[in-house]
Amino acid sequence: MESLAQLEVLCERLYNSQDSAERMHAENTLKCFSTNIDYISQCQFILDNALTPYALMLASSSLLKQVTEHSLSLQLRLDIRNYIVNYLANRGPELQSFVIGSLVQLLCRLTKFGWFDDDIFRDVVKESIKFLSQATSDHYAIGLRILNQLVSEMNQPNPGVPSSHHRKVACSFRDQSLFQIFQISLTSLHQLKNDAMSRLQELALSLSLKCLSFDFVGTTIDESSEEFGTVQIPSSWKPLLEDLSTLEIFFDYYALTKPPISKESLECLVRLASVRCSLFTNDATRTKFLDHLISGTKEILRTGQGLADHDNYHEFCRLLGRFRVNYQLSDLVIMDGYSDWIRLVAEFTSKSLLSWQWASSSVYYLLGLWSRLVSSVPYLKGDAPSLLDEFVPKITEGFITSRLDSAQAGLPDDISEHPLDNVDLLQDQLDCFPNLCRFRYESSSMFLINVMEPILQIYVEKAQLQTGDTSELSVVEAKLAWIVHIIAVIVKIKQCAGSSVESQEVIDAELSARALRLVNVADSGLHSQRYGEISKQRLDRAILTFFQHFRKNYVGDHAMHSSKQLYARLSDLLGLHDHLLLLDFIVRKIATNLKCYVESEEVIDHTLSLFLELASGYMTGKLLLKLDSVKFILLHHHKEHFPFLEEYRCSRSRTTFYYTIGWLIFMEDSTILFKPSMDALLKVFMTLESTPVTMFRTDSVKYALIGLMRDLRGIAMATNSRRTYGLLFHWIYPHMPILLRGISHWADTPEVI
């Protein structure tokens, strides 16, 4: 390297050049700084003398890589650490932000890696306090950045470092330094409260959030999941958490600041609302804490401040959702402001449901709160009114109406973003709904039926036409799909709070009858020509989901001798008076889907999943074998009846199909079903055996071999005993030569082999 100026030019090319070849050349030339430990002193020279931020960035990032990937001597690491602290103190304010960030990361990486090697490494908090006590805001910002990065560094594992060592360092840091850092963040927030420097406020808030988000017990749980129950803050933090000014400062910052700072305030409040109950000295202090949470959220609900920002809105919904995890209904109803709070939450929920396009991912937290409150009603003691009777039915009706409104609004620009296609979001939104619906089941179910009947009537009328407006039909099908999904999650659970099992079964039958009636309509007339339409596929996926949930409670093995009220009512409405008739109804829908949905792998897979569930249940499997519709499938499982078997893209689905057939074939002790059921596969073997060797490298043979092997794999997966395995082996053994011929002719084709 002839001169520092040349190096600076190379660094600028490395970070800024649009030419990939030029960038690659610069990277290869400068690689020595990060790989060769002899260049560590050169990095220091660059930091002392370079004029461009890109050269400084190279030196800093190279040192970081050296420290991370090489075992440097203790003295060298101490020298680098002391040099960086002094460098930040002297030159920090004049450096570019990205250079400061890299130097701070280097300092914190050195601190973590040397935590148990020398006490000096653990003095980093003291060093940060020196920065905070300087007169300039630039030094203050560097001090906060060091603490932010330090907490992050200690909280996340490093590649190549054993997790046990990471945890040991993290626990020592938690016990020795984290509480002091959290105190510093709170002190900073109080000092900066009336400061116009939003940059410093953001750093202080970010530091508080990082402290509250620390992995205190080594669980590394995803906080977006339901597992994120309580924050296990150490007992030594108790005085600070019981001091109500700690909670108030975050509500104050939410009111004073704008996004994204205000969102971080809410994130801190979400963590505080999740603090474990056992942390508090007694019930009185915990009640005061809850009272402040209610007062603060009530004020935000009343004014709506900041909620026009989507991130704030989502985080506030999360905050309300935390009430269901840490507090029982009995804790809430005794609070002075409960009645106003629950009314405001109900109004907020109703508005959120109406704004379904904007709030779809946030509604989950609100519905979860209401679901938890409703579940707690049977355990509520005392005279304090819960007021849920007044609000829950309105929220239930609002949810149903909002889903239908979303269907009426038509398709999003990106079809893949359709709410009925996003399985995870759909599941999240619907999971909490059954508890709400069953809370006042009679009125909720009547509302649902009254909503569904006119839509179903339109669908029946359309089925009788030869042609129709497909866009209007798509909207009708989307509405019906939502309703069927809602009915499916309701019948998924059998809950008896507030009314008798028998009365709930009768209502389940009323709702289920509408979904079952829809099946016949959906597969008749004009609608039977629409299997390729996306909206028809969505409706049929909803119907399959309904069957899966319904059968677990009313057709599954444990339900064979119960559910008399349900079947009595279904008999009145549809003539389905027992399990066998209902199973036959479901199997006929399965057969229809397998015949008609050649274009949709998703519907085929969903259908086969339901078929396998039915076949693998001990009692349902036995019942299936009594049905003529099932016997037909066992004897006629070839492409003439099930054209999806001919589609190469559905070849993986064939294995599931034949796995199910195998389950049914081997369920009986006798071998009566086995040989006739294998006739279709035997014909394929015979066709291959009669194919001349010269014709064996054709596509027809290739796809026949792939299909046959996938089919046999499914049958083989179902052989779960010596007897059944022996049956298959003796059947297949005479045809082994054709497998050898396939291997020899297609050795270069992985999908065959």
Side-chain angles (χ1 to χ4, degrees), residues 134-267:
Q134 297 286 322
T136 69
S137 62
D138 290 322
H139 279 99
Y140 202 102
I142 292 171
L144 289 175
R145 287 184 74 167
I146 291 171
L147 293 175
N148 266 284
Q149 182 60 39
L150 181 63
V151 179
S152 292
E153 187 73 42
M154 292 296 188
N155 201 30
Q156 61 193 18
N158 301 92
V161 177
S163 56
S164 56
H165 181 73
H166 157 72
R167 195 64 218 148
K168 195 175 173 185
V169 173
C171 289
S172 174
F173 171 75
R174 175 199 66 196
D175 297 339
Q176 292 184 33
S177 305
L178 189 60
F179 181 50
Q180 185 186 3
I181 294 173
F182 185 52
Q183 286 177 307
I184 290 170
S185 75
L186 292 177
T187 304
S188 298
L189 286 172
H190 284 289
Q191 289 174 352
L192 299 166
K193 190 172 170 183
N194 299 314
D195 198 316
M197 298 285 290
S198 62
R199 176 183 60 138
L200 295 180
Q201 292 177 337
E202 190 168 1
L203 284 168
L205 263 177
S206 174
L207 183 57
S208 292
L209 180 58
K210 284 184 171 71
C211 292
L212 290 169
S213 304
F214 197 80
D215 186 8
F216 294 104
V217 291
T219 50
T220 57
I221 285 171
D222 173 16
E223 65 173 73
S224 65
S225 74
E226 193 51 42
E227 296 295 324
F228 167 50
T230 52
V231 177
Q232 301 295 328
I233 283 179
S235 300
S236 56
W237 294 35
K238 183 191 294 186
L240 205 56
L241 269 293
E242 289 184 348
D243 181 351
L244 296 175
S245 66
T246 301
L247 204 56
E248 284 169 2
I249 191 69
F250 296 111
F251 278 116
D252 289 346
Y253 263 79
Y254 178 73
L256 289 169
T257 57
K258 295 178 180 178
I261 304 176
S262 51
K263 175 186 173 266
E264 293 215 324
S265 308
L266 288 174
E267 286 187 86

Side-chain angles (χ1 to χ4, degrees), residues 518-719:
L518 176 59
V519 176
N520 288 332
V521 180
D523 293 331
S524 66
L526 174 65
H527 308 322
S528 64
Q529 303 163 26
R530 292 174 50 78
Y531 290 107
E533 299 278 342
I534 290 174
S535 59
K536 178 73 165 65
Q537 291 174 26
R538 290 188 182 112
L539 177 56
D540 273 327
R541 289 205 309 269
I543 288 168
L544 291 167
T545 302
F546 164 74
F547 281 144
Q548 282 179 308
H549 293 339
F550 182 82
R551 78 144 199 103
K552 286 172 185 171
N553 271 330
Y554 292 118
V555 191
D557 300 340
H558 66 282
M560 303 305 284
H561 303 295
S562 61
S563 318
K564 290 180 182 177
Q565 297 297 323
L566 177 123
Y567 280 100
R569 187 63 186 137
L570 280 182
S571 178
D572 294 341
L573 294 169
L574 298 174
L576 298 172
H577 54 74
D578 64 14
H579 299 272
L580 207 57
L581 283 172
L582 192 57
L583 269 177
D584 188 56
F585 186 92
I586 295 172
V587 169
R588 288 178 189 280
K589 176 58 181 168
I590 288 170
T592 300
N593 282 4
L594 296 180
K595 286 174 187 172
C596 300
Y597 276 110
V598 182
E599 301 296 320
S600 175
E601 292 171 69
E602 201 173 352
V603 176
I604 291 289
D605 288 344
H606 203 151
T607 303
L608 289 171
S609 173
L610 172 62
F611 193 23
L612 180 59
E613 277 183 32
L614 293 173
S616 54
Y618 180 72
M619 286 300 292
T620 49
K622 294 276 188 188
L623 283 172
L624 284 179
L625 290 174
K626 295 180 180 180
L627 300 175
D628 290 338
S629 52
V630 170
K631 289 173 184 171
F632 181 87
I633 293 173
L634 294 182
L635 297 174
H636 301 88
H637 46 83
H638 37 72
K639 60 189 178 187
E640 286 76 15
H641 294 283
F642 302 108
F644 85 93
L645 294 170
E646 203 170 13
E647 290 292 323
Y648 180 65
R649 67 170 176 272
C650 293
S651 57
R652 289 182 181 276
S653 305
R654 295 174 71 140
T655 303
T656 310
F657 182 53
Y658 278 93
Y659 180 37
T660 310
I661 287 172
W663 258 105
L664 293 166
I665 291 171
F666 298 134
M667 190 163 284
E668 296 290 333
D669 283 336
S670 69
T671 59
I672 296 170
L673 277 174
F674 179 71
K675 285 196 175 177
S677 298
M678 299 297 281
D679 279 349
L681 300 182
L682 183 61
K683 285 177 184 173
V684 181
F685 265 123
M686 291 170 71
T687 303
L688 289 170
E689 285 164 354
S690 64
T691 303
V693 175
T694 53
M695 300 289 290
F696 221 72
R697 281 287 291 196
T698 59
D699 279 352
S700 60
V701 171
K702 173 184 171 180
Y703 292 127
L705 274 170
I706 291 171
L708 179 61
M709 292 305 106
R710 288 200 177 278
D711 300 345
L712 287 172
R713 181 183 178 186
I715 299 285
M717 284 163 62
T719 59

Side-chain angles (χ1 to χ4, degrees), residues 46-153:
I46 294 168
L47 286 170
D48 286 336
N49 297 287
L51 299 175
T52 68
Y54 304 111
L56 300 178
M57 185 67 188
L58 171 81
S60 175
S61 59
S62 297
L63 284 173
L64 178 65
K65 200 168 182 188
Q66 294 268 21
V67 166
T68 305
E69 296 179 0
H70 298 126
S71 298
L72 306 181
S73 69
L74 174 60
Q75 190 55 52
L76 180 56
R77 284 183 286 140
L78 284 169
D79 289 345
I80 297 171
R81 180 246 183 226
N82 294 334
Y83 173 80
I84 296 299
V85 170
N86 291 325
Y87 189 85
L88 284 168
N90 295 324
R91 289 193 56 186
E94 68 192 52
L95 297 175
Q96 293 274 9
S97 179
F98 62 86
V99 178
I100 296 173
S102 182
L103 290 167
V104 166
Q105 189 180 6
L106 171 59
L107 174 61
C108 295
R109 184 69 51 85
L110 283 162
T111 301
K112 183 176 182 179
F113 282 16
W115 189 259
F116 291 123
D117 296 339
D118 195 294
D119 289 347
I120 292 175
F121 286 111
R122 279 176 261 180
D123 287 343
V124 70
V125 179
K126 291 179 186 173
E127 302 286 1
S128 301
I129 292 171
K130 290 178 186 174
F131 280 92
L132 297 173
S133 58
Q134 297 286 322
T136 69
S137 62
D138 290 322
H139 279 99
Y140 202 102
I142 292 171
L144 289 175
R145 287 184 74 167
I146 291 171
L147 293 175
N148 266 284
Q149 182 60 39
L150 181 63
V151 179
S152 292
E153 187 73 42

Side-chain angles (χ1 to χ4, degrees), residues 276-386:
R276 61 189 172 95
C277 304
S278 55
L279 181 73
F280 297 94
T281 306
N282 50 39
D283 287 345
T285 53
R286 183 167 171 263
T287 300
K288 280 182 185 175
F289 188 83
L290 175 58
D291 184 53
H292 270 67
L293 269 177
I294 286 178
S295 300
T297 51
K298 188 166 68 175
E299 185 61 21
I300 296 171
L301 286 165
R302 192 181 61 76
T303 61
Q305 182 173 7
L307 297 181
D309 177 80
H310 192 274
D311 288 339
N312 276 0
Y313 182 90
H314 182 74
E315 208 57 44
F316 185 66
C317 289
R318 283 191 72 205
L319 175 57
L320 291 177
R322 300 317 295 167
F323 281 88
R324 72 184 172 130
V325 176
N326 236 9
Y327 301 99
Q328 299 296 329
L329 181 60
S330 54
D331 297 324
L332 296 169
V333 295
I334 59 173
M335 307 306 294
D336 287 341
Y338 170 76
S339 57
D340 287 339
W341 181 79
I342 198 72
R343 177 180 56 77
L344 288 166
V345 173
E347 289 171 3
F348 180 70
T349 305
S350 297
K351 286 176 186 172
S352 299
L353 290 170
L354 289 173
S355 309
W356 57 269
Q357 280 175 307
W358 197 68
S360 60
S361 59
S362 312
V363 165
Y364 159 74
Y365 300 105
L366 301 175
L367 294 177
L369 169 63
W370 288 102
S371 177
R372 179 68 177 260
L373 294 176
V374 163
S375 302
S376 303
V377 168
Y379 313 103
L380 189 61
K381 294 173 183 175
D383 299 327
S386 71

